[in-house]
Amino acid sequence: MRRQARRAPVPNGPNGARAARSPDAADAARRSGGVELLHLLDADDREVLQAQLWDQFSTHQIALLLGISDAAARKRISRATQRLRERYEASGGVDR
């Protein structure tokens, strides 16, 4: 059974406010079918990719959010990105 990470608030600005989602990134993902592919990923993968791509959090901020080290956050982002790429290719998408 996986250990549940303790979630910490993520400071983003001087007042500690969370970053607003980028409507441009969300619109681009919708147009490209990325949102549908995100639903094929598990909740952990969706969370790190959303934090990185939509919320534009740094790796350090994602680590704080998840209660893990920076190295573990980098690895989770890498693995989630790889799984998203695999889902995209399996759905008939074209690799760069």
Side-chain angles (χ1 to χ4, degrees), residues 55-92:
D55 296 334
Q56 298 180 346
F57 285 176
S58 69
T59 302
H60 180 70
Q61 290 170 320
I62 293 170
L64 290 174
L65 174 71
L66 299 176
I68 59 177
S69 70
D70 287 7
R74 279 191 300 277
K75 193 54 146 173
R76 282 195 190 181
I77 293 166
S78 174
R79 289 177 177 158
T81 302
Q82 179 61 36
R83 284 188 281 268
L84 181 62
R85 184 177 296 117
E86 290 166 1
R87 300 300 192 301
Y88 177 70
E89 291 171 359
S91 73

Side-chain angles (χ1 to χ4, degrees), residues 22-30 53-54 56:
S22 166
D24 295 335
D27 290 343
R30 276 189 209 95
L53 301 173
W54 276 270
Q56 298 180 346

Side-chain angles (χ1 to χ4, degrees), residues 32-41 84 87-89 91:
S32 69
V35 170
E36 290 82 12
L37 290 175
L38 284 177
H39 290 291
L40 296 175
L41 298 174
L84 181 62
R87 300 300 192 301
Y88 177 70
E89 291 171 359
S91 73

Side-chain angles (χ1 to χ4, degrees), residues 2-20:
R2 292 175 63 178
R3 189 185 93 206
Q4 291 293 328
R6 198 166 83 202
R7 310 292 171 154
V10 177
N12 190 49
N15 62 359
R18 232 183 119 111

